[in-house]
Amino acid sequence: MNDQAQLLPGTLDLLILKAVSLGPLHGYGVLLRIGQITGQALLVEQGALYPALFRLLRQGLLKANWGTSENNRRAKFYEITATGRKRLREEQDGWNRLAVAMASALGARPEEV
């Protein structure tokens, strides 16, 4: 049985912002960090990641600088901007409210309605 969940629409940007908020990362590092912080429950494919990183750069939510990766390769490292941190807080608040509402709805019992 596969324990990995499918990403819901709109969640990839939030996951990237959260991953990068924990420290600068190159693209592949973002994939690894998302796997790490979700307990490997959510894995992102490279084909989805790089367009999302480009979109977040264009929106000013991330910035990028060239550097050297841990295996001595030239890599683009992504960092969250102040605007990105603000967006992350807003999105986190919305998702936390949704999670509480869903847990409440899914935990309802017949005698409570």
Side-chain angles (χ1 to χ4, degrees):
M1 184 171 139
N2 187 353
D3 290 336
Q4 292 175 353
Q6 296 293 316
L7 285 179
L8 295 173
T11 57
L12 180 56
D13 290 1
L14 177 60
L15 288 169
I16 292 170
L17 290 174
K18 181 60 183 182
V20 175
S21 76
L22 300 172
L25 295 166
H26 54 75
Y28 187 67
V30 173
L31 291 178
L32 296 177
R33 177 68 49 83
I34 290 171
Q36 177 189 38
I37 64 177
T38 65
Q40 307 307 323
L42 298 174
L43 298 178
V44 178
E45 298 202 13
Q46 290 186 35
L49 176 72
Y50 290 99
L53 286 169
F54 182 72
R55 182 175 57 253
L56 293 170
L57 282 169
R58 244 187 12 246
Q59 293 173 359
L61 304 177
L62 295 179
K63 62 183 178 179
N65 295 298
W66 287 99
T68 304
S69 69
E70 57 280 349
N71 60 0
N72 285 329
R73 291 193 174 167
R74 188 164 185 237
K76 192 180 283 189
F77 284 79
Y78 299 90
E79 294 181 57
I80 194 166
T81 64
T83 305
R85 285 194 188 284
K86 181 178 184 230
R87 172 77 62 85
L88 175 60
R89 281 191 304 275
E90 293 167 356
E91 294 287 327
Q92 277 183 248
D93 290 346
W95 275 100
N96 287 335
R97 283 191 303 276
L98 178 62
V100 168
M102 287 298 295
S104 178
L106 294 174
R109 293 178 295 210
E111 63 271 10
E112 296 174 338
V113 291

